[in-house]
């Protein structure tokens, strides 16, 4: 029913919000019984192929669970931050700053798909951040390694608010988003649920 669906979506939102910029290897859900994300992580270091999930009719299990529908197991996905333990993920992190990674389609697509390719998870979360629209509004920011997001000129006055640029054409202010989402949609179609971000008091995926 609608109450169950709302509770599920709120759970997704709260978990996504609380995990932003926090080092974590835990996912939102763990399958009942045999496999937890912790065991996926440990097993992945030894043999990632051995722990891949089987999709088939379960390709949309995460979406169905979020809607409050009955599922035969709990869906599994990895937060964006969970990729940090992966060697390939860290290689990009060591080489490129955050915005370079999140605003370059080829890199963002690769980082989004790394956990899915390694474990066959039920969800793929787009490598991005809720601050992404800010530069298009005239607010510069970056994510400083070891510190987190930094807004270089914080909005503290109504005069600054009035000078913000409205986002009327996302394809102009954030041209990379469409390419990233379109490519990820093709990669996950019939295989997994694609998760993105929207900004609000919490961070609903």
């Amino acid at each position: 029913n609608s109450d169950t669906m709302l509770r599920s979506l709120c759970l997704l939102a709260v978990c996504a919000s609380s995990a932003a910029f926090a080092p974590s290897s835990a996912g939102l859900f763990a399958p009942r019984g045999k496999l937890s994300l912790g065991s996926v992580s440990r097993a992945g270091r030894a043999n990632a192929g051995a722990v891949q999930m089987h999709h088939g009719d379960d390709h949309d299990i995460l979406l169905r669970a979020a809607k409050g529908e009955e599922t035969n197991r709990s869906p599994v996905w990895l937060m964006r931050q969970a990729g940090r333990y992966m060697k390939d993920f860290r290689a990009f992190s060591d080489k490129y700053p955050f915005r370079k990674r999140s605003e370059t389609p080829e890199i963002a697509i690769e980082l989004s798909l790394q956990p899915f390719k390694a474990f066959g998870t039920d969800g793929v979360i787009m490598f991005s951040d809720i601050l992404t629209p800010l530069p298009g509004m005239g607010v510069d920011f970056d994510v400083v390694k070891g510190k987190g997001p930094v807004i270089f000129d914080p909005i503290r006055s109504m005069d600054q608010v009035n000078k913000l640029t409205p986002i009327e054409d996302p394809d102009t202010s954030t041209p990379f988003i469409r390419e990233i989402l379109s490519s990820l949609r093709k990669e996950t179609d019939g295989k997994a649920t694609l998760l993105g971000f929207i900004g609000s008091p919490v961070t609903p995926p």
Side-chain angles (χ1 to χ4, degrees):
N1 57 36
S2 58
D3 287 341
T4 301
M5 179 179 177
L6 180 60
R7 285 196 298 271
S8 299
L9 291 174
C10 286
L11 174 61
L12 286 168
V14 170
C15 288
S17 178
S18 64
F21 293 103
S24 171
S25 60
L28 181 59
F29 297 103
R32 298 184 187 93
K34 296 182 179 179
L35 192 64
S36 70
L37 281 182
S39 62
V40 168
S41 173
R42 290 188 297 272
R45 287 190 287 268
N47 185 359
V51 295
Q52 286 195 344
M53 307 295 294
H54 296 285
H55 291 283
D57 292 338
D58 279 351
H59 70 92
D60 63 345
I61 190 172
L62 177 55
L63 185 60
R64 288 188 282 116
K67 291 179 178 179
E69 298 179 12
E70 189 73 23
T71 59
N72 63 339
R73 61 175 176 82
S74 296
V76 176
W77 63 290
L78 290 172
M79 295 295 293
R80 171 180 64 76
Q81 295 81 1
R84 290 174 180 166
Y85 82 93
M86 300 179 76
K87 182 179 179 181
D88 290 342
F89 183 100
R90 293 198 305 272
F92 280 93
S93 180
D94 292 339
K95 187 174 182 180
Y96 303 110
F98 180 84
R99 284 187 58 187
K100 175 72 173 179
R101 286 175 281 148
S102 65
E103 297 177 15
T104 303
E106 301 81 30
I107 298 177
I109 292 166
E110 169 64 21
L111 294 176
S112 301
L113 292 173
Q114 279 182 352
F116 176 71
K117 290 178 179 178
F119 306 123
T121 48
D122 298 304
V124 172
I125 187 163
M126 173 184 169
F127 184 86
S128 186
D129 187 75
I130 59 172
L131 299 183
T132 295
L134 290 186
M137 300 171 64
V139 180
D140 197 18
F141 86 97
D142 204 351
V143 179
V144 179
K145 193 170 184 178
K147 184 175 182 180
V150 175
I151 295 176
F152 299 111
D153 187 17
I155 305 299
R156 293 196 171 101
S157 70
M158 184 54 66
D159 183 56
Q160 288 176 296
V161 172
N162 292 333
K163 291 179 180 178
L164 293 177
T165 303
I167 297 180
E168 297 177 348
D169 181 13
D171 280 332
T172 299
S173 60
T174 53
F176 46 88
I177 294 295
R178 182 182 295 275
E179 182 176 350
I180 295 170
L181 280 175
S182 297
S183 297
L184 288 175
R185 181 69 179 270
K186 291 178 182 177
E187 291 283 350
T188 58
D189 188 35
K191 302 174 185 176
T193 297
L194 176 60
L195 305 173
F197 286 96
I198 59 173
S200 70
V202 290
T203 313

Short mmCIF file of all heavy atoms in Angstrom, two decimals, residues 46-76:
data_model
loop_
_atom_site.label_atom_id
_atom_site.label_comp_id
_atom_site.label_asym_id
_atom_site.label_seq_id
_atom_site.Cartn_x
_atom_site.Cartn_y
_atom_site.Cartn_z
N ALA A 46 38.92 -12.35 -2.88
CA ALA A 46 39.45 -13.66 -3.25
C ALA A 46 38.97 -14.10 -4.63
O ALA A 46 39.74 -14.56 -5.46
CB ALA A 46 39.05 -14.70 -2.21
N ASN A 47 37.66 -13.91 -4.84
CA ASN A 47 37.10 -14.38 -6.11
C ASN A 47 35.78 -13.69 -6.36
O ASN A 47 34.73 -14.18 -5.96
CB ASN A 47 36.90 -15.90 -6.05
CG ASN A 47 36.43 -16.46 -7.39
OD1 ASN A 47 36.23 -15.73 -8.35
ND2 ASN A 47 36.25 -17.76 -7.44
N ALA A 48 35.81 -12.54 -7.02
CA ALA A 48 34.60 -11.75 -7.21
C ALA A 48 33.57 -12.53 -8.01
O ALA A 48 32.38 -12.45 -7.76
CB ALA A 48 34.94 -10.44 -7.93
N GLY A 49 34.01 -13.29 -8.99
CA GLY A 49 33.07 -14.00 -9.84
C GLY A 49 32.23 -15.00 -9.08
O GLY A 49 31.10 -15.29 -9.45
N ALA A 50 32.74 -15.53 -7.98
CA ALA A 50 32.03 -16.56 -7.24
C ALA A 50 30.85 -16.02 -6.47
O ALA A 50 29.98 -16.77 -6.05
CB ALA A 50 32.99 -17.27 -6.28
N VAL A 51 30.78 -14.68 -6.25
CA VAL A 51 29.71 -14.14 -5.42
C VAL A 51 28.73 -13.30 -6.23
O VAL A 51 27.90 -12.62 -5.67
CB VAL A 51 30.28 -13.29 -4.27
CG1 VAL A 51 31.08 -14.15 -3.34
CG2 VAL A 51 31.13 -12.14 -4.81
N GLN A 52 28.80 -13.35 -7.54
CA GLN A 52 27.89 -12.57 -8.34
C GLN A 52 26.45 -13.04 -8.13
O GLN A 52 26.17 -14.22 -8.06
CB GLN A 52 28.26 -12.64 -9.82
CG GLN A 52 29.49 -11.82 -10.14
CD GLN A 52 29.64 -11.61 -11.63
OE1 GLN A 52 29.00 -12.30 -12.41
NE2 GLN A 52 30.46 -10.66 -12.01
N MET A 53 25.55 -12.03 -8.06
CA MET A 53 24.15 -12.33 -7.90
C MET A 53 23.61 -12.84 -9.25
O MET A 53 24.14 -12.54 -10.31
CB MET A 53 23.38 -11.06 -7.50
CG MET A 53 23.94 -10.35 -6.28
SD MET A 53 23.82 -11.34 -4.77
CE MET A 53 22.04 -11.38 -4.59
N HIS A 54 22.51 -13.59 -9.21
CA HIS A 54 21.85 -14.03 -10.43
C HIS A 54 20.63 -13.15 -10.65
O HIS A 54 19.83 -12.95 -9.75
CB HIS A 54 21.43 -15.50 -10.29
CG HIS A 54 22.59 -16.43 -10.14
ND1 HIS A 54 23.41 -16.77 -11.19
CD2 HIS A 54 23.10 -17.06 -9.05
CE1 HIS A 54 24.36 -17.60 -10.76
NE2 HIS A 54 24.19 -17.78 -9.47
N HIS A 55 20.48 -12.60 -11.85
CA HIS A 55 19.42 -11.63 -12.09
C HIS A 55 18.20 -12.30 -12.70
O HIS A 55 17.34 -12.76 -11.99
CB HIS A 55 19.95 -10.48 -12.94
CG HIS A 55 20.94 -9.65 -12.18
ND1 HIS A 55 20.56 -8.75 -11.22
CD2 HIS A 55 22.30 -9.62 -12.22
CE1 HIS A 55 21.63 -8.18 -10.71
NE2 HIS A 55 22.69 -8.69 -11.29
N GLY A 56 18.10 -12.35 -14.03
CA GLY A 56 16.90 -12.91 -14.64
C GLY A 56 15.68 -12.11 -14.24
O GLY A 56 15.59 -10.90 -14.44
N ASP A 57 14.68 -12.79 -13.62
CA ASP A 57 13.46 -12.12 -13.20
C ASP A 57 13.68 -11.17 -12.03
O ASP A 57 12.79 -10.40 -11.68
CB ASP A 57 12.41 -13.17 -12.80
CG ASP A 57 11.93 -13.98 -14.00
OD1 ASP A 57 12.07 -13.48 -15.13
OD2 ASP A 57 11.42 -15.09 -13.80
N ASP A 58 14.86 -11.22 -11.41
CA ASP A 58 15.16 -10.35 -10.27
C ASP A 58 15.78 -9.02 -10.68
O ASP A 58 16.24 -8.26 -9.83
CB ASP A 58 16.12 -11.07 -9.30
CG ASP A 58 15.40 -12.04 -8.40
OD1 ASP A 58 14.15 -12.04 -8.40
OD2 ASP A 58 16.08 -12.80 -7.70
N HIS A 59 15.82 -8.72 -11.97
CA HIS A 59 16.53 -7.52 -12.42
C HIS A 59 15.96 -6.25 -11.81
O HIS A 59 16.67 -5.26 -11.65
CB HIS A 59 16.51 -7.42 -13.94
CG HIS A 59 15.16 -7.12 -14.51
ND1 HIS A 59 14.72 -5.85 -14.76
CD2 HIS A 59 14.14 -7.95 -14.87
CE1 HIS A 59 13.49 -5.88 -15.24
NE2 HIS A 59 13.12 -7.15 -15.32
N ASP A 60 14.67 -6.24 -11.43
CA ASP A 60 14.05 -5.05 -10.86
C ASP A 60 13.67 -5.26 -9.39
O ASP A 60 12.81 -4.55 -8.87
CB ASP A 60 12.81 -4.65 -11.67
CG ASP A 60 11.72 -5.73 -11.64
OD1 ASP A 60 12.03 -6.87 -11.24
OD2 ASP A 60 10.59 -5.42 -12.03
N ILE A 61 14.33 -6.19 -8.73
CA ILE A 61 13.95 -6.53 -7.35
C ILE A 61 14.11 -5.35 -6.40
O ILE A 61 13.32 -5.15 -5.47
CB ILE A 61 14.73 -7.76 -6.84
CG1 ILE A 61 14.15 -8.24 -5.50
CG2 ILE A 61 16.22 -7.47 -6.74
CD1 ILE A 61 14.73 -9.56 -5.04
N LEU A 62 15.13 -4.52 -6.61
CA LEU A 62 15.33 -3.35 -5.75
C LEU A 62 14.18 -2.36 -5.90
O LEU A 62 13.67 -1.83 -4.91
CB LEU A 62 16.67 -2.69 -6.07
CG LEU A 62 17.02 -1.41 -5.30
CD1 LEU A 62 16.95 -1.65 -3.80
CD2 LEU A 62 18.40 -0.91 -5.70
N LEU A 63 13.76 -2.13 -7.11
CA LEU A 63 12.65 -1.22 -7.37
C LEU A 63 11.36 -1.77 -6.77
O LEU A 63 10.58 -1.03 -6.16
CB LEU A 63 12.49 -1.01 -8.87
CG LEU A 63 11.44 0.01 -9.32
CD1 LEU A 63 11.77 1.39 -8.76
CD2 LEU A 63 11.36 0.05 -10.84
N ARG A 64 11.15 -3.07 -6.91
CA ARG A 64 9.93 -3.68 -6.36
C ARG A 64 9.93 -3.61 -4.84
O ARG A 64 8.89 -3.38 -4.22
CB ARG A 64 9.80 -5.12 -6.85
CG ARG A 64 9.43 -5.21 -8.33
CD ARG A 64 9.11 -6.62 -8.77
NE ARG A 64 10.31 -7.43 -8.98
CZ ARG A 64 10.62 -8.50 -8.28
NH1 ARG A 64 9.83 -8.90 -7.29
NH2 ARG A 64 11.72 -9.17 -8.54
N ALA A 65 11.09 -3.82 -4.23
CA ALA A 65 11.18 -3.73 -2.77
C ALA A 65 10.90 -2.31 -2.30
O ALA A 65 10.23 -2.09 -1.28
CB ALA A 65 12.56 -4.17 -2.31
N ALA A 66 11.40 -1.31 -3.04
CA ALA A 66 11.16 0.09 -2.68
C ALA A 66 9.68 0.44 -2.78
O ALA A 66 9.20 1.32 -2.06
CB ALA A 66 11.98 1.00 -3.60
N LYS A 67 8.98 -0.26 -3.65
CA LYS A 67 7.54 -0.03 -3.79
C LYS A 67 6.73 -0.78 -2.73
O LYS A 67 5.51 -0.66 -2.67
CB LYS A 67 7.07 -0.48 -5.19
CG LYS A 67 7.58 0.40 -6.31
CD LYS A 67 7.09 -0.13 -7.66
CE LYS A 67 7.55 0.76 -8.80
NZ LYS A 67 7.10 0.23 -10.12
N GLY A 68 7.43 -1.57 -1.91
CA GLY A 68 6.75 -2.32 -0.86
C GLY A 68 6.20 -3.65 -1.31
O GLY A 68 5.42 -4.28 -0.59
N GLU A 69 6.61 -4.10 -2.50
CA GLU A 69 6.12 -5.39 -2.99
C GLU A 69 6.88 -6.53 -2.33
O GLU A 69 8.01 -6.38 -1.87
CB GLU A 69 6.29 -5.45 -4.52
CG GLU A 69 5.50 -4.41 -5.27
CD GLU A 69 5.71 -4.48 -6.77
OE1 GLU A 69 6.30 -5.48 -7.24
OE2 GLU A 69 5.31 -3.53 -7.47
N GLU A 70 6.25 -7.69 -2.30
CA GLU A 70 6.86 -8.89 -1.73
C GLU A 70 7.97 -9.38 -2.67
O GLU A 70 7.78 -9.47 -3.89
CB GLU A 70 5.81 -9.99 -1.56
CG GLU A 70 6.30 -11.20 -0.79
CD GLU A 70 6.45 -10.94 0.70
OE1 GLU A 70 5.80 -10.01 1.22
OE2 GLU A 70 7.21 -11.70 1.34
N THR A 71 9.14 -9.68 -2.11
CA THR A 71 10.24 -10.22 -2.91
C THR A 71 10.76 -11.49 -2.26
O THR A 71 10.58 -11.69 -1.05
CB THR A 71 11.39 -9.20 -3.03
OG1 THR A 71 11.87 -8.87 -1.72
CG2 THR A 71 10.93 -7.93 -3.74
N ASN A 72 11.41 -12.33 -3.05
CA ASN A 72 11.87 -13.61 -2.52
C ASN A 72 13.17 -13.49 -1.74
O ASN A 72 13.62 -14.43 -1.09
CB ASN A 72 12.04 -14.63 -3.66
CG ASN A 72 13.10 -14.20 -4.67
OD1 ASN A 72 13.43 -13.02 -4.75
ND2 ASN A 72 13.61 -15.14 -5.44
N ARG A 73 13.81 -12.32 -1.80
CA ARG A 73 15.01 -12.05 -1.01
C ARG A 73 15.19 -10.55 -0.91
O ARG A 73 14.51 -9.78 -1.60
CB ARG A 73 16.24 -12.67 -1.67
CG ARG A 73 16.54 -12.13 -3.08
CD ARG A 73 17.83 -12.68 -3.65
NE ARG A 73 18.05 -12.25 -5.01
CZ ARG A 73 18.58 -11.06 -5.35
NH1 ARG A 73 18.94 -10.21 -4.39
NH2 ARG A 73 18.74 -10.72 -6.61
N SER A 74 16.09 -10.13 -0.05
CA SER A 74 16.38 -8.70 0.06
C SER A 74 17.35 -8.29 -1.04
O SER A 74 18.33 -8.99 -1.30
CB SER A 74 17.02 -8.38 1.42
OG SER A 74 16.12 -8.65 2.47
N PRO A 75 17.09 -7.18 -1.71
CA PRO A 75 17.99 -6.73 -2.78
C PRO A 75 19.30 -6.18 -2.22
O PRO A 75 19.38 -5.78 -1.07
CB PRO A 75 17.19 -5.63 -3.48
CG PRO A 75 16.27 -5.12 -2.43
CD PRO A 75 15.93 -6.30 -1.56
N VAL A 76 20.32 -6.18 -3.06
CA VAL A 76 21.66 -5.74 -2.65
C VAL A 76 22.16 -4.66 -3.61
O VAL A 76 22.04 -4.79 -4.82
CB VAL A 76 22.66 -6.92 -2.67
CG1 VAL A 76 24.07 -6.44 -2.34
CG2 VAL A 76 22.23 -7.99 -1.68
#
